[in-house]
Amino acid sequence: MNEESEVSQEVPAGASASAQATPALSELDRKINKFFPGVVVRKDLVKAVKGNAIVPSYVLEYLLGQYAASDDEATIQAGIDTVRKILAEHYVNRNQSELVKSTIKERGRHRIIDKVTATLNEKDDVYQAEFANLGIKGVLVESATIKAHPKLLVGGVWCICDVEYFHSDDARVVPWILGSIKPIQLSKFDFEAYLAARGEFTTGEWTDLLVQSIGFNPGLFGRRAKLIQLVRLIPFVERNYNLVELGPKGTGKSHIFSEFSPHGMLISGGEVTVPKLFVNNSNGRIGLVGYWDVVAFDEFAGKKKRTDKALVDIMKNYMANKSFSRGVETLGAEASMVFVGNTSHTVPYMLKHSDLFDELPESYHDSAYLDRLHHYIPGWEVDTIRNEMFSNGYGFVVDYIAEVLKSMRSADYSDRYQQHFTLSSDISTRDRDGIHKTFSGLMKILYPHGEASSEEIEEILQFAIEGRKRVKDQILRIDSTMGHVKFGYLDMAGTWHPVSTLEEDEYPEYYYREDSGAAEAKDVTGGPPAAGFVATTEGGQPTPVESITEKLLFEGHREFQENQRGISFDTLLAPYLRGATQITIIDPYIRQFHQARNLMEVIECIAATKEAADEVSVKLITSENTEGEDKLRKQFELLLKVKQGASVGGIDVDVIFDGSLHDRSILTDTGWRILLGRGLDIFQHVTGDAFDLASRLQEFRQVKAFGVTYIREI
């Protein structure tokens, strides 16, 4: 295969990628390949072919989409080998740049894959290109090329290029010649076909497809965690969207903005200047916001970072008005602004001592700037990225989904909730704008056809309100002159639905510190009671578990949000099990290791609260695992271990199997019936690492969304 055919500059129809050692396709993967042929790729292939190449994922998926285009394993393997060969022969590694330059000289012409940046040489009135990895500069570029690909002037573009060599006796003449250039981007797509195919997927399936497209295994993410990942895509689909995410290191905050789309630019927060970002008044050249859909600032946090006050001022104006000044002229732009940074303290620490914007440089720790942010992603809810979290399922070729999102930037879905819900009249125009833009973005991502059920709309409306509320509540800590806002909405029946942030429900004692106005605002949020408290006094104050009496035990229903922490069986169940000698646990799903572990942790609660001389009888009613003999045998082994372990503490566990079970509950001979919506399986995945606090203490685990109802029957 010659060079011209081996590195094609067009994406052929029907190109999709499969695997080397293809695992059995899931039903979702089969569906994805059926309705999106040619624009999907097996996500683990990127790792397989990348090797030491420091190249964005969309470049690799561009190549995989050309050559690994079959379900036949032999054909797939041949395609992967071809991509590897292309990278070996045409991708320029910096440490081999001299060898590549020699190849160009000896052959006279050679095709390379490199990042190309162009500049205007005003003295000679010519455009000149610089190749990042090849290390050559001053290469002449035709004006027509610049007009066709203006992003070459701002930040550079990954391209497939033919570079020629012609030496001249004139030392001023650069011997390198740009023969042809093709940015690695999809040239076209059928949006109507995209909408039609979307209609074949349920909301859950579509969400999982998008999560796989980002590169993650949706099976390890709860619904809320998936939505957090999808919010990171909103800047690509929504014009002038201002997003901030602060959280611990290693949670993938910047990944999407560096790897996901050729329309986004990730820059270090310390490298930003007014000319680079907005306009250079000396030559009139427009900066990054004029050419890129998304400008993301990495490593934005850092209290002691030096900042340019002029940059902060012009950024405030741009984020509020979508415009900036060039001398006497005012220019507009559509670039969304994203700010990501690391936190060095826990959420309760920040709430107790400062605010959730505590890590920002001083110039940005300003209410006027912060009020321009539409949504705050709680990065502390996102798990540290682990190998098992990456997907080996199918997802969109990132360049394809990037073009889809770009094509929808001009659409506005912000009013799609209004036939079902009305925002609180207490919400200001700026708060409303933030909620609208997040809602519109999520609608376009999840429901591009613009249609969704009332429940689906309510879910993303709540999420949009929460993200803006997180911004506003922290501004109130910084600027006490701002009034408190009741964040929530009314349904068509006139029922008020308050919205709270997750950290508000987890740490109310820190969230509302020494502020009666905030305490009033707390009352209207209506979040679930704080973890660690199971009763309220007459004045409405929570009573610690240690001081409760049976009379004060809470009766009624509670809801807990996905990703909430600070919840344990000690606070949920132990006070209601104290003193019981006969306890019946009904849960049809005590089958897998983590489910048996949860049961054992309930046993631990009982053992810790009973008198040493007392004995307690626990009857477990569950169902047998019907997925095969091996799994049934494993279930029996796990339950036997629970029974043996419990007996040491004077607790007799009796297991009864009942295949007709559905509801989940706990009954005690002291008169309590506890209805468990999810049964005991309320915690999200934990690593099991002995050095992971979440493995040792339930309070540090994130929970799935669940409800509990306490009923006193005696």
Side-chain angles (χ1 to χ4, degrees):
M1 185 179 288
N2 60 37
E3 280 188 28
E4 292 298 328
S5 60
E6 192 173 359
V7 190
S8 168
Q9 295 195 19
E10 297 294 333
V11 179
S16 66
S18 269
Q20 308 159 268
T22 310
L25 289 182
S26 68
E27 286 302 316
L28 177 60
D29 285 334
R30 290 192 181 92
K31 198 168 184 178
I32 290 169
N33 277 280
K34 177 181 178 181
F35 291 105
F36 287 103
V39 292
V40 292
V41 63
R42 259 259 326 262
K43 288 297 173 171
D44 57 335
L45 290 185
V46 174
K47 266 189 172 181
V49 302
K50 188 167 188 174
N52 295 323
I54 305 173
V55 59
S57 296
Y58 63 81
V59 174
L60 298 175
E61 292 190 11
Y62 175 92
L63 297 173
L64 286 168
Q66 290 181 296
Y67 297 103
S70 171
D71 288 334
D72 176 69
E73 189 163 342
T75 305
I76 293 165
Q77 188 59 53
I80 291 172
D81 291 342
T82 299
V83 173
R84 285 176 173 156
K85 183 179 178 183
I86 290 171
L87 288 174
E89 295 186 3
H90 301 286
Y91 171 75
V92 181
N93 283 297
R94 288 181 181 175
N95 59 359
Q96 296 180 337
S97 60
E98 292 302 318
L99 179 60
V100 176
K101 285 192 277 188
S102 173
T103 301
I104 298 171
K105 176 184 181 302
E106 297 303 322
R107 293 185 181 180
R109 178 187 179 98
H110 182 59
R111 179 160 290 174
I112 66 169
I113 298 173
D114 202 351
K115 186 175 183 180
V116 183
T117 306
T119 56
L120 173 63
N121 182 334
E122 295 98 334
K123 182 178 178 182
D124 296 334
D125 191 30
V126 293
Y127 292 104
Q128 297 175 322
E130 178 177 354
F131 290 71
N133 291 352
L134 189 57
I136 61 175
K137 59 179 66 175
V139 183
L140 293 182
V141 183
E142 297 290 335
S143 294
T145 300
I146 298 298
K147 288 179 181 177
H149 312 296
K151 285 183 182 177
L152 290 170
L153 292 169
V154 190
V157 179
W158 280 92
C159 303
I160 295 174
C161 311
D162 287 318
V163 180
E164 302 174 5
Y165 182 89
F166 182 80
H167 184 265
S168 170
D169 292 334
D170 187 345
R172 295 174 301 172
V173 176
V174 176
W176 309 104
I177 301 168
L178 183 61
S180 67
I181 183 170
K182 165 66 180 177
I184 296 178
Q185 293 179 227
L186 194 70
S187 58
K188 60 182 179 179
F189 73 97
D190 186 342
F191 184 66
E192 292 303 318
Y194 174 81
L195 291 183
R198 164 62 183 95
E200 301 294 334
F201 292 78
T202 66
T203 297
E205 289 171 338
W206 186 253
T207 303
D208 287 353
L209 167 53
L210 292 171
V211 172
Q212 287 187 177
S213 298
I214 294 171
F216 292 126
N217 176 4
L220 295 182
F221 291 76
R223 178 65 179 173
R224 180 179 173 88
K226 292 173 186 177
L227 286 178
I228 287 175
Q229 293 293 335
L230 298 185
V231 169
R232 291 172 171 174
L233 299 181
I234 295 178
F236 294 100
V237 76
E238 194 72 22
R239 292 172 174 169
N240 301 103
Y241 186 71
N242 305 322
L243 177 67
V244 65
E245 179 176 359
L246 302 176
K249 296 178 181 178
T251 55
K253 292 184 288 296
S254 60
H255 167 77
I256 280 180
F257 307 107
S258 63
E259 298 279 327
F260 185 78
S261 171
H263 304 301
M265 169 62 68
L266 179 71
I267 56 179
S268 171
E271 297 176 357
V272 185
T273 62
V274 172
K276 182 175 183 178
L277 190 58
F278 293 104
V279 65
N280 188 328
N281 282 332
S282 64
N283 58 23
R285 188 177 299 161
I286 303 300
L288 297 171
V289 297
Y291 294 93
W292 296 91
D293 290 348
V294 180
V295 179
F297 300 81
D298 196 12
E299 300 173 356
F300 187 67
K303 284 184 178 182
K304 297 181 180 180
K305 281 191 175 180
R306 297 178 60 184
T307 53
D308 181 353
K309 186 65 169 62
L311 175 63
V312 177
D313 290 340
I314 193 172
M315 193 180 291
K316 282 183 194 176
N317 184 64
Y318 174 74
M319 290 167 66
N321 304 314
K322 310 170 189 174
S323 62
F324 56 94
S325 297
R326 181 177 74 178
V328 296
E329 185 181 6
T330 299
L331 303 173
E334 297 181 0
S336 295
M337 308 288 269
V338 179
F339 308 93
V340 297
N342 296 326
T343 54
S344 54
H345 297 293
T346 64
V347 172
Y349 181 95
M350 289 187 285
L351 290 174
K352 181 177 181 179
H353 297 285
S354 55
D355 56 76
L356 298 180
F357 288 114
D358 178 59
E359 300 286 346
L360 295 188
E362 187 177 347
S363 296
Y364 292 99
H365 198 261
D366 169 70
S367 60
Y369 159 76
L370 298 174
D371 206 24
R372 270 80 168 161
L373 297 171
H374 297 129
H375 193 96
Y376 187 149
I377 293 179
W380 49 86
E381 289 188 40
V382 182
D383 274 347
T384 301
I385 303 302
R386 307 181 304 274
N387 281 337
E388 65 265 26
M389 295 172 69
F390 293 108
S391 174
N392 61 3
Y394 282 83
F396 291 122
V397 173
V398 290
D399 194 38
Y400 172 78
I401 189 63
E403 293 303 319
V404 169
L405 297 179
K406 181 179 178 65
S407 73
M408 298 186 73
R409 282 172 70 84
S410 59
D412 181 10
Y413 286 19
S414 63
D415 62 348
R416 301 301 171 98
Y417 72 88
Q418 292 178 0
Q419 59 182 314
H420 302 285
F421 307 103
T422 304
L423 287 181
S424 164
S425 59
D426 204 34
I427 295 176
S428 69
T429 300
R430 187 160 282 170
D431 293 330
R432 197 174 294 264
D433 287 346
I435 293 167
H436 280 176
K437 290 183 78 67
T438 302
F439 177 82
S440 176
L442 283 174
M443 276 293 294
K444 285 187 274 188
I445 291 167
L446 287 169
Y447 311 104
H449 44 298
E451 298 175 3
S453 69
S454 173
E455 292 76 15
E456 291 167 337
I457 286 174
E458 185 173 19
E459 176 189 41
I460 61 176
L461 179 62
Q462 287 178 341
F463 202 76
I465 295 173
E466 181 190 340
R468 175 58 191 179
K469 185 180 191 298
R470 183 170 291 109
V471 172
K472 193 59 172 281
D473 284 355
Q474 301 314 303
I475 293 174
L476 295 178
R477 289 168 166 255
I478 298 168
D479 185 351
S480 60
T481 63
M482 286 196 175
H484 290 279
V485 180
K486 293 181 180 178
F487 281 91
Y489 56 93
L490 293 164
D491 60 26
M492 289 299 100
T495 304
W496 169 248
H497 299 267
V499 174
S500 60
T501 67
L502 190 55
E503 59 274 12
E504 181 178 3
D505 299 330
E506 289 180 314
Y507 311 108
E509 67 272 35
Y510 302 130
Y511 205 88
Y512 302 104
R513 52 175 191 176
E514 301 174 4
D515 189 338
S516 59
E520 290 175 16
K522 173 180 181 290
D523 291 338
V524 302
T525 62
F533 298 94
V534 297
T536 57
T537 63
E538 204 169 293
Q541 295 302 310
T543 303
V545 169
E546 291 78 3
S547 64
I548 64 170
T549 65
E550 192 170 311
K551 186 191 299 185
L552 290 175
L553 285 177
F554 172 82
E555 295 182 57
H557 184 73
R558 286 183 177 149
E559 288 288 336
F560 296 88
Q561 295 187 53
E562 183 180 328
N563 288 359
Q564 193 166 338
R565 288 188 175 92
I567 297 165
S568 69
F569 291 151
D570 278 338
T571 56
L572 281 178
L573 303 178
Y576 298 87
L577 304 181
R578 186 179 284 112
T581 58
Q582 300 280 338
I583 299 172
T584 301
I585 300 174
I586 304 172
D587 189 333
Y589 294 100
I590 307 294
R591 300 177 176 182
Q592 301 178 39
F593 173 81
H594 73 278
Q595 294 165 339
R597 179 205 64 201
N598 291 340
L599 174 62
M600 192 65 205
E601 289 174 338
V602 174
I603 301 294
E604 290 171 11
C605 287
I606 298 170
T609 57
K610 78 176 189 66
E611 292 291 335
D614 292 341
E615 291 187 345
V616 176
S617 174
V618 174
K619 181 188 295 184
L620 171 67
I621 304 177
T622 188
S623 58
E624 294 183 348
N625 195 325
T626 58
E627 297 178 3
E629 287 295 324
D630 288 343
K631 291 188 177 181
L632 179 60
R633 187 181 304 110
K634 183 65 175 176
Q635 181 187 19
F636 287 169
E637 290 173 358
L638 290 170
L639 291 174
L640 179 60
K641 287 181 179 180
V642 171
K643 181 177 178 68
Q644 292 170 339
S647 65
V648 177
I651 301 169
D652 178 53
V653 176
D654 184 27
V655 180
I656 298 173
F657 291 101
D658 183 344
S660 65
L661 294 179
H662 182 269
D663 293 338
R664 301 152 174 87
S665 62
I666 297 178
L667 310 176
T668 74
D669 60 355
T670 54
W672 283 104
R673 178 185 293 270
I674 306 170
L675 305 181
L676 304 168
R678 281 188 176 273
L680 303 181
D681 196 1
I682 63 172
F683 298 106
Q684 295 186 32
H685 173 79
V686 292
T687 62
D689 186 340
F691 299 96
D692 179 7
L693 271 179
S695 295
R696 313 283 296 182
L697 298 171
Q698 292 179 335
E699 291 85 348
F700 290 91
R701 299 176 194 169
Q702 291 180 312
V703 300
K704 304 170 185 177
F706 73 99
V708 181
T709 304
Y710 302 96
I711 302 171
R712 181 77 177 184
E713 295 186 325
I714 296 178

